[in-house]
Amino acid sequence: MSIFESQGALVRKLISPLAIVLIWEATARLGWINVLITPPPTHVLQHFAEMVVSLEIVKHTASSLGRFLVGYVLAIATAVPVGVLMAWFRPVDMIVDPLVELIRPVSPIAILPLAILWFGIGDASKIFIIWLSCTFPILLSTYAGMKGLDRAFVYAATSLGANNWEVLRTVAVPSALPQIYAGMRISLGIGLIVIISSEMVAARHGLGYMILTAQQTFNVEEIFVGIIVIGLLGFSADLALRRLKSRFMPWHREI
Amino acid sequence: MTAARPLTTPSGRRAPSDAKIALRDLCLEFPSRDRQQPLPLLNRITLDVAAGEFLCLIGPSGCGKSTLLMCVAGHLQPTSGACLADGTSVSGPGPDRALVFQQPTLFPWLTVQQNVGYGLRLLTNRHLRGQAELRVGRLLQLVGLQGFADRYPYELSGGMRQRVEIARALAVEPDVLLMDEPFGALDALTRLRMQNEMLKIWTETRKTVLFVTHDIMEALILADRVAVLSARPARLIEVFEVSNPRPRDRGDAALLRSAKDIGKRLDVNL
């Protein structure tokens, strides 16, 4: 489950990334690749250290992460209840499903210009886009999890005296939790893609804005720093989500 | 002398006064998808189960034994005829008739303790809450799982899960236990152990038990009476009374002869 099962496993997992970094460094030093557009890892690392000291990178990371978290939590807060209601009450399904199917295929980035008109160039338009793009995977997986409810659980619960509402609350929703979690993990990845691209379209700070500005000012080291931070951000967010899962769903085992 | 003798009437009818569960000409049909005619599953079954009685239903697989049990549980409505519990028609599921399934239906997101207390928590929301914990503890002791209160179902063996399943059903203090091949998915040794366990529990609680099985010996070890059903649509062929005192010896000659008799009614040579 955890990537840190043992020291040995950790070391083995580090072999291939380290090899690539070493080859990259060597070829850059030997002049086999153009260091103007592909600087060696040591230069990137040095620039990263400078940006940490100046708090520049902290500022950009914080604003990207903040926007992402607000949009993501809002998406969970809307998608789970709506998915539950859609699966449990047919009329809700009939009303909401066509809307979902109409909006879902549209790329969130295509909606961003409209969102900027509505909510301005600040945080709100990005949060809106994150919310929109993260909602659908969670909504659909919640719906699927609820619909996949095993009849035998319902028989067992009603035979023990549960009414319809108690079946929903104590059986149907808990049994859908693994699926809801799966949707949350998918949305996590999508949300991180969308936040960076939306910041590239229009923003005054954030990692997407930082990378685009670095490209325009030919600060290639900073592009690489941005990419690395985004990678670390995605990795840590997923790790945090998995930690939360083992905390709140100790009965669920991932294979 | 045989241990189990057929009653004079194949109906298994008893005086209506002491019948806990009474089935009267019970018929059930399923609407079939491709054919015009509905698919008959139960054919005019009339049977009484006395209060405190242990009755086994036996029949070929797929004959409708489980369907019959689901009717009594209130999850299926009969097409015609009546299914009475305490003289009133069964209209839906309820904790007076608790179900134990073959496939463990323990809620995987609840611990053993929470599973057993599930029905109690539904009750105690309205009535008494304080006794729930004590009761769950006593039930876990009854089924021999005191040390496993905080485990999750996935951490238990098949036999242990089935014990929790039984404890969960007993927790709501049902009048009737409806058991659908509860030991069918267990290995042979565990099944024997669970049969002994079941007798112990029944002796202590004296519930009315309606127990579906396809294992003739299991039926003869456990039951006061064994009702034999035909292949689909299920008809009641015969009701055998088992008079041997418990605990019964699985190698007892009379019991083996009875098994042969029941086997004959099911067209099986033992």
Side-chain angles (χ1 to χ4, degrees), chain B:
Chain B
M1 185 197 142
T2 53
R5 58 184 170 76
L7 297 176
T8 43
T9 62
S11 70
R13 186 184 288 230
R14 292 193 156 190
S17 57
D18 64 340
K20 191 80 203 166
I21 298 288
L23 310 177
R24 293 282 176 273
D25 284 327
L26 191 73
C27 291
L28 190 119
E29 293 171 345
F30 269 3
S32 64
R33 252 166 282 161
D34 41 346
R35 277 167 298 171
Q36 294 283 309
Q37 281 177 332
L39 182 72
L41 288 171
L42 304 175
N43 183 10
R44 303 197 51 168
I45 292 176
T46 295
L47 179 71
D48 281 1
V49 189
E53 185 178 29
F54 199 128
L55 187 128
C56 279
L57 287 167
I58 198 161
S61 61
C63 79
K65 306 183 290 278
S66 302
T67 309
L68 180 62
L69 215 61
M70 290 304 259
C71 271
V72 180
H75 292 300
L76 289 174
Q77 288 299 316
T79 312
S80 68
C83 174
L84 309 168
D86 280 324
T88 47
S89 187
V90 169
S91 59
D96 55 320
R97 287 154 285 120
L99 257 173
V100 177
F101 302 86
Q102 173 181 14
Q103 302 300 332
T105 58
L106 296 177
F107 304 122
W109 52 89
L110 298 181
T111 62
V112 166
Q113 189 167 222
Q114 292 165 332
N115 261 291
V116 175
Y118 177 83
L120 284 177
R121 274 200 309 280
L122 297 177
L123 287 176
T124 48
N125 282 341
R126 299 149 199 166
H127 305 298
L128 32 139
R129 182 177 290 264
Q131 281 192 316
E133 205 171 319
L134 195 73
R135 253 191 85 68
V136 169
R138 269 213 305 273
L139 281 163
L140 287 180
Q141 201 158 16
L142 179 70
V143 297
L145 287 174
Q146 306 89 299
F148 295 86
D150 294 320
R151 301 293 183 90
Y152 284 97
Y154 79 86
E155 298 174 288
L156 306 181
S157 70
M160 287 156 92
R161 280 180 216 180
Q162 218 57 39
R163 286 163 203 251
V164 180
E165 187 96 14
I166 293 170
R168 184 178 67 173
L170 287 172
V172 291
E173 297 206 39
D175 294 338
V176 184
L177 264 186
L178 304 170
M179 309 186 79
D180 188 3
E181 296 187 32
F183 312 140
L186 303 178
D187 64 272
L189 274 177
T190 312
R191 193 182 317 156
L192 292 181
R193 219 168 278 141
M194 288 301 292
Q195 288 165 5
N196 295 341
E197 198 80 10
M198 187 61 219
L199 275 180
K200 194 193 99 193
I201 292 168
W202 178 74
T203 314
E204 279 182 40
T205 59
R206 287 286 159 179
K207 299 286 178 198
T208 308
V209 181
L210 201 51
F211 189 106
V212 165
T213 178
H214 52 229
D215 181 339
I216 298 176
M217 217 46 207
E218 182 169 80
L220 286 170
I221 286 295
L222 295 173
D224 293 314
R225 288 190 302 153
V226 181
V228 183
L229 299 176
S230 72
R232 204 181 66 209
R235 227 168 4 86
L236 189 64
I237 303 180
E238 198 158 323
V239 181
F240 288 85
E241 192 156 309
V242 193
S243 50
N244 287 26
R246 298 183 181 87
R248 293 165 187 156
D249 177 7
R250 287 182 177 81
D252 180 68
L255 219 57
L256 290 173
R257 269 198 304 279
S258 302
K260 265 199 148 121
D261 287 345
I262 294 175
K264 244 182 240 153
R265 304 301 281 131
L266 292 165
D267 291 323
V268 205
N269 270 321
L270 291 178

Side-chain angles (χ1 to χ4, degrees), chain A residues 27-106:
Chain A
T27 48
R29 299 254 164 176
L30 289 168
W32 294 358
I33 53 173
N34 185 351
V35 292
L36 281 176
I37 51 169
T38 319
T42 42
H43 290 193
V44 174
L45 208 65
Q46 195 190 344
H47 191 74
F48 180 64
E50 285 164 12
M51 290 188 82
V52 172
V53 171
S54 69
L55 292 180
E56 188 77 356
I57 190 73
V58 180
K59 189 189 82 190
H60 289 301
T61 308
S63 56
S64 290
L65 189 64
R67 288 165 183 158
F68 165 75
L69 281 179
V70 173
Y72 184 65
V73 169
L74 284 176
I76 295 170
T78 36
V80 173
V82 173
V84 166
L85 292 175
M86 278 175 77
W88 206 250
F89 300 105
R90 191 166 283 278
V92 180
D93 197 357
M94 279 164 55
I95 293 164
V96 181
D97 185 61
L99 296 175
V100 171
E101 291 310 316
L102 275 174
I103 304 169
R104 194 166 66 94
V106 181

Side-chain angles (χ1 to χ4, degrees), chain A residues 155 158-159 166 170 250-251 253, chain B residues 75 94-95 108-109 118 126 152 154:
Chain A
Y155 289 143
T158 50
S159 268
E166 284 161 339
T170 64
W251 48 274
R253 290 159 305 151
Chain B
H75 292 300
W109 52 89
Y118 177 83
R126 299 149 199 166
Y152 284 97
Y154 79 86

